[in-house]
Amino acid sequence: MSSTTEQATGARTWSVAEHLDDILTAVQPLEPIELNLLDAQGCVLVEQVTVPVALPPFDNSSMDGYAVRAADTERASEASPAVLTVIGDVAAGSSGTELTVGPGRAARIMTGAPLPPGADAVVPVEWTDGGTGAGPARTMAPHSASPQGSGGQVRVHRPVTPHAHVRARGGDVCAGDVALEAGTVLGPPQIALLSAIGRPAARVRPRPRVVVLSTGSELAQPGEELAAGQIYDSNSFALAAAAKDAGAIVYRVGAVTDDAETLRATIEDQLIRADLLVTTGGVSVGAYDVVKEALTSVAEEEPEEREGEDAEATEGADAEQAVHRAHVDFRTLAMQPGKPQGFGTIGPDRTPILTLPGNPVSSYVSFELFVRPAIRAMMGLADLHRPVVRATLLPPHGAGDEEPAPLTSPEGKRQFLRGTYTGGERPEVRPVGGSGSHLIGALAHADALIVLPETVTKAAWGREVEVVLLG
């Protein structure tokens, strides 16, 4: 990575691919930790999990009904039901060994209850009279309703075959089977499986903690009354939501005023809970671009090596100046929107920091291209990027009968335009809103980015273009 001073001169223009490669080379997956199952949701498993016990661990009923010997029901019919003596109940959670079903006998059994010895099938209660002596039952009498409950006789109106309505031991997974492979993303079904085999926790790469902060003295928080010259802070909310969508644990910091010392102090306070820092605004060439000022002025300020008592005496002071150990490159990228970018590390733990431009569309596009892949790389995910497809470029909706002028793009820059995508056999994409990097209203209606490469200066309607799907 080049030094901050070299990049600040603007001597080089970086491509989108070069900047992204630089980020992904520097960002490493987080170290694995053991997390309780619900805390592990969305995380990547780092170990192969094998099944310690079969699922289900015993033969059990899939219906509320009667555990029987199938042979005792083979001649049963509506006209001539099989009459069996009920010897008791087998409830879910019982051992299933209290009763033995012999010839001419049956035991009431509940869904999930273990099949008692002697029984080899279950008759659904709807195929019986439920022990009432009347017609077909629709439900089972309560356990307390003796003798029509767990005693007396039951009439079976339909035959069953051996193993009917029985969940066999190991019918789902067997002991020793691989339950989940390393690299699996833990969603609700995987959490269910881990809990079903008795695992209270999983070893995973944790979701990164991402601190998002915006800069600008003109920013007010939603809900506050705007003063003259102020606008509401939308960037920090947009980026925090995007980071959460990418899988991160997010901490949003209120807007920081255009003061370098205040920004340094804020960043230093946030380092303790950050695996990744994301700032927006203050990275261009203006007189009040505070992020660039704050981080460029402290870059390369490494504490000198000290020996003996001098080193011990200054150790505490060095810790307080964590933010003053920064290596941040501020770059010009060949892209639109999002030309000014910054990337580097900060603090004693070399926490990655990405500094994004302040215009809302520039900020969001930059997040999708650079921050989202970084977050997913830190999680250990294999799939880092949004899906990319090809689609036919069509004029915007509401363009009228007269075809609008073709899209234009500056030569030498990769342009990302907001669009609406329609899939199917012949995918189509239409621009939405203009190309201005402040048009956040259009961004809210877009579900894709239309990509015009560096070599394209004019895109005619009907041509095929690359599309990044956002939804």
Side-chain angles (χ1 to χ4, degrees):
M1 189 182 297
S2 305
S3 71
T4 305
T5 303
E6 292 170 345
Q7 294 309 318
T9 65
R12 177 184 175 187
T13 298
W14 294 65
S15 71
V16 171
E18 287 174 329
H19 186 58
L20 178 60
D21 286 345
D22 205 20
I23 292 169
L24 295 181
T25 298
V27 171
Q28 299 298 317
L30 299 179
E31 288 298 314
I33 60 174
E34 193 90 0
L35 288 178
N36 293 330
L37 290 186
L38 292 182
D39 293 331
Q41 184 174 350
C43 297
V44 177
L45 191 67
V46 297
E47 60 179 347
Q48 185 184 79
V49 177
T50 56
V51 179
V53 293
L55 288 182
F58 47 83
D59 291 351
N60 69 90
S61 177
S62 65
M63 306 286 286
D64 292 326
Y66 291 84
V68 301
R69 293 171 8 121
D72 288 339
T73 71
E74 60 184 359
R75 297 181 184 277
S77 67
E78 291 282 351
S80 180
V83 181
L84 305 176
T85 300
V86 180
I87 60 173
D89 282 356
V90 185
S94 64
S95 69
T97 60
E98 300 91 344
L99 302 174
T100 299
V101 176
R105 302 288 189 266
R108 291 204 316 172
I109 191 167
M110 315 306 144
T111 302
L115 198 68
D120 63 2
V122 172
V123 179
V125 67
E126 295 88 350
W127 294 8
T128 76
D129 68 352
T132 64
R138 289 187 297 178
T139 187
M140 191 174 284
H143 174 68
S144 59
S146 181
Q148 296 177 332
S150 59
Q153 292 183 323
V154 63
R155 287 168 174 78
V156 179
H157 301 140
R158 294 173 60 178
V160 289
T161 57
H163 312 299
H165 310 297
V166 174
R167 301 167 179 154
R169 180 181 183 274
D172 188 355
V173 291
C174 296
D177 285 353
V178 174
L180 297 172
E181 296 282 2
T184 300
V185 180
L186 299 182
Q190 293 75 32
I191 297 293
L193 176 56
L194 289 172
S195 60
I197 63 176
R199 291 286 295 264
R203 188 163 178 78
V204 298
R205 294 196 188 278
R207 295 186 291 155
R209 301 165 301 163
V210 176
V211 171
V212 175
L213 62 89
S214 53
T215 63
S217 298
E218 77 280 12
L219 298 178
Q221 296 305 299
E224 298 176 354
E225 187 172 344
L226 290 178
Q230 284 192 313
I231 60 173
Y232 287 120
D233 172 18
S234 64
N235 282 1
S236 68
F237 285 91
L239 298 187
K244 184 176 181 180
D245 181 70
I249 297 170
V250 184
Y251 302 100
R252 189 194 71 87
V253 180
V256 180
T257 59
D258 291 323
D259 178 77
E261 287 302 323
T262 301
L263 177 61
R264 291 189 194 112
T266 302
I267 291 176
E268 188 167 347
D269 287 342
Q270 296 300 319
L271 281 175
I272 192 170
R273 63 175 182 176
D275 296 309
L276 175 68
L277 279 161
V278 180
T279 69
T280 172
V283 294
S284 192
V285 293
Y288 290 86
D289 283 323
V290 64
V291 173
K292 199 168 185 180
E293 176 189 355
L295 298 182
T296 299
S297 63
V298 301
E300 308 296 347
E301 288 187 15
E302 290 286 357
E304 297 179 0
E305 292 187 4
R306 304 174 181 89
E307 297 180 0
E309 295 180 0
D310 289 341
E312 293 179 5
T314 56
E315 184 177 347
D318 286 344
E320 294 177 359
Q321 297 298 318
V323 75
H324 289 272
R325 292 195 285 277
H327 299 265
V328 182
D329 292 355
F330 293 97
R331 301 169 173 175
T332 298
L333 267 61
M335 65 180 286
Q336 187 182 53
K339 181 177 71 172
Q341 300 284 338
F343 168 67
T345 61
I346 193 165
D349 296 325
R350 300 291 186 229
T351 303
I353 182 170
L354 284 94
T355 64
L356 311 183
N359 279 320
V361 178
S362 302
S363 176
Y364 182 73
V365 169
S366 299
F367 180 96
E368 287 291 338
L369 296 180
F370 307 124
V371 184
R372 181 182 175 90
I375 289 172
R376 294 176 68 81
M378 295 175 80
M379 294 176 67
L381 291 164
D383 185 10
L384 304 183
H385 307 284
R386 292 285 197 185
V388 177
V389 298
R390 306 287 296 183
T392 300
L393 180 64
L394 298 180
H397 285 295
D401 296 333
E402 188 174 337
E403 187 174 276
L407 292 181
T408 59
S409 182
E411 184 176 3
K413 290 186 179 181
R414 180 166 291 247
Q415 183 162 208
F416 298 87
L417 299 168
R418 286 134 290 174
T420 56
Y421 172 79
T422 304
E425 291 186 9
R426 298 179 178 178
E428 300 171 347
V429 67
R430 298 176 185 269
V432 56
S435 60
S437 57
H438 64 292
L439 300 176
I440 194 169
L443 181 63
H445 296 283
D447 60 8
L449 295 176
I450 302 167
V451 184
L452 300 182
E454 293 85 347
T455 56
V456 173
T457 58
K458 186 177 293 187
W461 309 117
R463 72 171 287 170
E464 193 177 71
V465 293
E466 183 178 288
V467 179
V468 179
L469 302 182
L470 300 178

